[in-house]
Amino acid sequence: MVRDSTMPSLLLTVVLIGLSVLIATPLGVAVAVSLAIGSGWTAGRWIRTAGIGLLLVLICLPMYVHAAAWEATAGKYGWLPLMQTSANRFWFSGLLAAAWIHGVSGAAWVALATLWGLTRVPAALLQQAALETGPWSRLGRIAVPYAAPATLAGALWVALLAATEMTVADLYGVRTLADEVYLKYAFEPQTLPIVLACLLPLLVATPLVWLMQRMLGPARRSAASPHASGSDVWAALDLDASSASPLRWLASLPATGLLLLMITVPLVSLFVKAGLLVEAAGQYGSGPRYRWSWQRVADTLSDSLATFAPEFVWTAVLAVTVAAVAMLLGTLSAAWAQGSERRARWGFFTAMALVLLPGPVVGMGVLYLFHDRGPLLAALYERSIVPTVVALLPRAVPAAYLVMRAGYRMLPPEPGEAARCDGARPWQCLLRIDLPRLKTSLLVAGFAAGIVATADVPATLVVLPPGMTTVGTRLFGLLHSGVRYQAAGLTISFCLLVGLLVILTHAWCGRRRAVGVR
């Protein structure tokens, strides 16, 4: 019986992974290339900066927010089907809807990875090629193939998200392995489904880990030009470096259109849904009448903030708590790995292994640790947020650790080496030398861990204490009854809050980089 129900789930998971990657990869590469070409001039740099900011906001939004936005657009209760009269209007459902949401949201990861890969192209190579080739040839034959490992890494990350995330799959009835664990085996574990749910992400992650080691390894870093991330790369890819030609503006149109599809369409749909009034047909009417108003939007947002205030409070409490613990553990782990390639490799593998655990499996493990394990653990399980924080740490700590490792990699090693030569202990180097230079990395690590905490709904569904709900779990429940006005208002409020935090963090980090502070 277990095998009969597991094999279709395995097949659905594989198909969802394939469709998500097929949607995300060309869309993300197109956005990255469009942002890269024509960005060697002032307006192009502004367009690229704005595009990267929008992509960062997109990857910081949890999957249930993406699902709510696209469901408000084309789902059964979305505004597009409501405006149609055909009996076949509900096309956005099942595997197609789940793959579209994963693909469009994952395109932001692919685009950012490809843009990063383009900055790794040695500027001297592009400048030398400019003597014999045009910008299109440099882009197609040198820059894009050079960035292919980064693009592939982004595509594999999309595959991992599709394999381990179950909120979208559960919403549309796509019974993937992770969803099967949540629905059937959270309270009655079975070996085969759990092993398969953990093994499939591991198989996907193996080439991803190899690619990241190849891209970030010492050989790859030494091969890159010291100016590879500077303006020389964008100038070498510019379509027309002589003047602000119309071709530069035309080059930015694909990026603008694709970003509108990925961000503006679902966001506008939420506002449309929040302000839409459905009125009964009059005596001589043939159907319902629809009317939209800003007053309705304001009322919906006000009602959502008042109704879901406890959810926002609990989400903030969990995010801050998890961020503080994850920053501490991630910083200590990054400091331990500093200076040793072997320890850094083990830290990276451990972080990836924790990320690969499906959320329902993590929740089931925490449930096993705390439930019916004595009065102390039972009291913690029923009356505290300790089990919930523990369930969120397997993904929050790796996020903080990887950010801190990136911060350490950008630090010049001379001050620390001089302090160790003078007899300073490791903890003194950490507190007095490293941390003052890693303020920006600490902020980004805490922000990343907090975002992960708000996004990881599958791990918290079975371990939240009674009477406690978060924005994610509340929206997860509302989506199963259709995206209505309350769900639209809750999603808009959460999107605006996350977007504001991303913009403030990005601006603060940019100001710190401008004055030369890490």
Side-chain angles (χ1 to χ4, degrees):
M1 180 66 69
V2 173
R3 180 170 301 184
D4 292 341
S5 63
T6 301
M7 297 313 294
S9 300
L10 176 62
L11 179 60
L12 277 176
T13 306
V14 173
V15 173
L16 178 61
I17 289 174
L19 291 177
S20 302
V21 171
L22 286 176
I23 295 172
T25 304
L27 187 59
V29 172
V31 171
V33 170
S34 183
L35 289 175
I37 56 180
S39 58
W41 62 312
T42 303
R45 289 193 294 269
W46 280 102
I47 293 173
R48 190 181 74 247
T49 302
I52 292 175
L54 291 175
L55 292 174
L56 289 174
V57 173
L58 197 62
I59 67 172
C60 288
L61 293 176
M63 288 303 302
Y64 56 82
V65 172
H66 292 284
W70 283 106
E71 185 71 5
T73 306
K76 184 175 181 180
Y77 298 99
W79 67 273
L80 281 177
L82 290 177
M83 300 299 177
Q84 301 175 12
T85 58
S86 172
N88 298 322
R89 59 186 181 179
F90 302 135
W91 58 271
F92 193 78
S93 60
L95 184 62
L96 174 63
W100 175 259
I101 293 172
H102 276 287
V104 173
S105 61
W109 289 101
V110 177
L112 289 173
T114 304
L115 280 170
W116 180 85
L118 291 176
T119 64
R120 304 290 289 177
V121 181
L125 179 62
L126 292 174
Q127 292 166 357
Q128 183 178 3
L131 299 175
E132 299 179 357
T133 62
W136 290 108
S137 181
R138 293 195 298 273
L139 181 68
R141 296 183 180 181
I142 299 176
V144 172
Y146 199 95
T151 302
L152 183 57
L156 289 173
W157 181 251
V158 174
L160 282 177
L161 291 178
T164 58
E165 213 281 338
M166 47 71 60
T167 54
V168 176
D170 188 77
L171 173 63
Y172 293 103
V174 182
R175 302 306 176 202
T176 60
L177 288 171
D179 191 45
E180 284 289 309
V181 171
Y182 164 68
L183 289 176
K184 296 182 178 180
Y185 307 113
F187 294 95
E188 297 180 0
Q190 297 286 339
T191 303
L192 180 60
I194 296 174
V195 169
L196 287 177
C198 297
L199 183 61
L200 183 60
L202 181 62
L203 295 177
V204 176
T206 301
L208 175 62
V209 172
W210 178 80
L211 280 171
M212 295 186 70
Q213 289 289 326
R214 178 171 177 260
M215 290 186 296
L216 300 176
R220 187 73 173 186
R221 290 198 302 270
S222 61
S225 168
H227 302 290
S229 60
S231 59
D232 291 340
V233 173
W234 306 119
L237 293 175
D238 202 356
L239 289 177
D240 188 358
S242 60
S243 63
S245 67
L247 189 59
R248 283 169 155 174
W249 290 106
L250 292 176
S252 301
L253 289 180
T256 304
L258 293 173
L259 288 173
L260 287 175
L261 172 65
M262 296 166 58
I263 299 174
T264 308
V265 170
L267 183 60
V268 170
S269 297
L270 287 171
F271 279 96
V272 171
K273 185 67 179 178
L276 191 64
L277 289 171
V278 182
E279 299 176 346
Q283 182 177 1
Y284 303 101
S286 59
R289 293 177 297 178
Y290 303 97
R291 184 167 58 87
W292 187 89
S293 68
W294 281 109
Q295 182 61 43
R296 176 68 177 179
V297 174
D299 294 341
T300 301
L301 292 178
S302 177
D303 292 342
S304 68
L305 291 175
T307 303
F308 302 113
E311 281 77 4
F312 279 103
V313 171
W314 280 118
T315 301
V317 169
L318 278 177
V320 172
T321 305
V322 172
V325 177
M327 270 198 304
L328 175 62
L329 297 178
T331 302
L332 294 177
S333 301
W336 169 79
Q338 180 64 13
S340 171
E341 288 292 335
R342 183 177 61 85
R343 292 197 300 266
R345 192 177 299 113
W346 276 108
F348 179 76
F349 289 155
T350 303
M352 290 300 299
L354 291 174
V355 171
L356 293 178
L357 291 174
V361 175
V362 175
M364 182 182 61
V366 174
L367 181 66
Y368 177 80
L369 290 175
F370 283 87
H371 188 58
D372 289 337
R373 297 292 175 180
L376 177 60
L377 294 180
L380 290 176
Y381 178 75
E382 296 174 358
R383 300 169 188 168
S384 74
I385 62 172
V386 173
T388 309
V389 172
V390 172
L392 293 173
L393 288 178
R395 292 196 178 186
V397 173
Y401 168 77
L402 293 175
V403 171
M404 294 305 298
R405 284 295 302 148
Y408 265 111
R409 293 166 70 92
M410 293 186 293
L411 287 181
E414 290 80 8
E417 293 175 353
R420 284 190 290 272
C421 290
D422 290 339
R425 297 179 179 274
W427 64 269
Q428 292 175 323
C429 294
L430 175 63
L431 294 178
R432 297 181 181 180
I433 298 176
D434 294 341
L435 290 185
R437 299 187 295 164
L438 290 170
K439 292 181 181 179
T440 300
S441 299
L442 282 170
L443 174 66
V444 176
F447 179 76
I451 289 295
V452 169
T454 63
D456 200 3
V457 171
T460 61
L461 284 172
V462 296
V463 296
L464 282 174
M468 176 181 173
T469 54
T470 62
V471 172
T473 55
R474 176 65 70 185
L475 191 55
F476 180 75
L478 291 174
L479 286 174
H480 281 75
S481 61
V483 177
R484 304 186 186 276
Y485 301 112
Q486 282 188 333
L490 178 61
T491 306
I492 292 172
S493 303
F494 188 76
C495 287
L496 293 177
L497 179 61
V498 172
L500 178 62
L501 291 175
V502 171
I503 292 172
L504 292 177
T505 304
H506 184 63
W508 192 83
C509 293
R511 184 176 62 85
R512 300 275 294 183
R513 282 196 302 268
V515 298
V517 180
R518 296 294 180 188

